[in-house]
């Protein structure tokens, strides 16, 4: 049963990747818009992530950074989460996973909150954080 669920998730993930590769979220109304931005006019921490996925699949790192600069560290954290146990097992390491330390969720929450506030400021260095 577990293999069927994992297989289904892998197929769904591959289908989403193909969809995001083929269709540009900036040009198609098929993709949902951010409800928070639609209601308030402010950018949430996830605004621009769909366009960032499209850019990443096209290996356009500049486009990823322009749409959501926090997207790259998030991808790296997810990559670390899945490769850390594999490396520990294959290389016989005993390194702790920093994602499971006591303060890590608070640090990540603080970074996301700070990013949320700063990307809505209209002053020059922070206005670059806004998507697009």
């Amino acid at each position: 049963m577990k293999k069927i669920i994992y297989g289904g998730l892998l197929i769904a993930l591959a289908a989403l990747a193909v969809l995001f590769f083929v269709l540009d979220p900036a040009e198609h109304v098929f993709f949902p818009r951010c409800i928070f931005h639609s209601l308030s006019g402010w950018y949430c921490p996830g605004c621009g992530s769909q366009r960032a996925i499209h850019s990443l699949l096209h290996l356009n790192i500049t486009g990823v950074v322009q749409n959501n600069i926090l997207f790259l560290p998030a991808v790296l954290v997810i990559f670390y989460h899945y490769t850390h146990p594999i490396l520990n097992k294959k290389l016989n390491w005993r390194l702790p996973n920093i994602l499971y330390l006591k303060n890590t969720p608070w640090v990540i929450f603080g970074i996301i909150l700070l990013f949320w506030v700063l990307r809505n400021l209209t002053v020059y260095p922070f206005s670059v954080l806004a998507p697009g």
Side-chain angles (χ1 to χ4, degrees):
M1 187 64 177
K2 228 179 189 181
K3 289 182 181 182
I4 294 172
I5 292 173
Y6 285 150
L9 287 174
L10 189 61
I11 290 171
L13 187 64
L16 279 173
V18 168
L19 181 71
F20 274 102
F21 183 83
V22 174
L23 300 177
D24 186 0
E27 298 175 4
H28 293 86
V29 295
F30 173 76
F31 296 96
R33 301 290 176 229
C34 177
I35 296 171
F36 182 79
H37 184 263
S38 298
L39 294 175
S40 67
W42 293 345
Y43 297 113
C44 76
C47 279
S49 292
Q50 291 181 18
R51 289 169 285 175
I53 291 170
H54 177 77
S55 297
L56 185 64
L57 290 172
H58 286 274
L59 302 177
N60 179 7
I61 303 302
T62 306
V64 174
V65 170
Q66 287 174 345
N67 288 307
N68 191 334
I69 198 166
L70 201 60
F71 188 77
L72 281 179
V75 168
L76 291 175
V77 166
I78 292 169
F79 180 75
Y80 170 81
H81 174 71
Y82 286 107
T83 57
H84 179 271
I86 295 169
L87 290 176
N88 265 351
K89 186 175 181 180
K90 295 289 184 191
L91 301 176
N92 204 19
W93 292 346
R94 303 249 186 267
L95 298 175
N97 191 335
I98 62 170
L99 295 178
Y100 293 106
L101 296 178
K102 182 180 176 183
N103 291 327
T104 302
W106 290 108
V107 170
I108 293 173
F109 178 69
I111 290 170
I112 292 171
L113 197 60
L114 185 65
F115 177 68
W116 193 347
V117 170
L118 293 180
R119 82 183 316 200
N120 285 295
L121 298 178
T122 56
V123 187
Y124 164 63
F126 307 116
S127 62
V128 177
L129 298 174

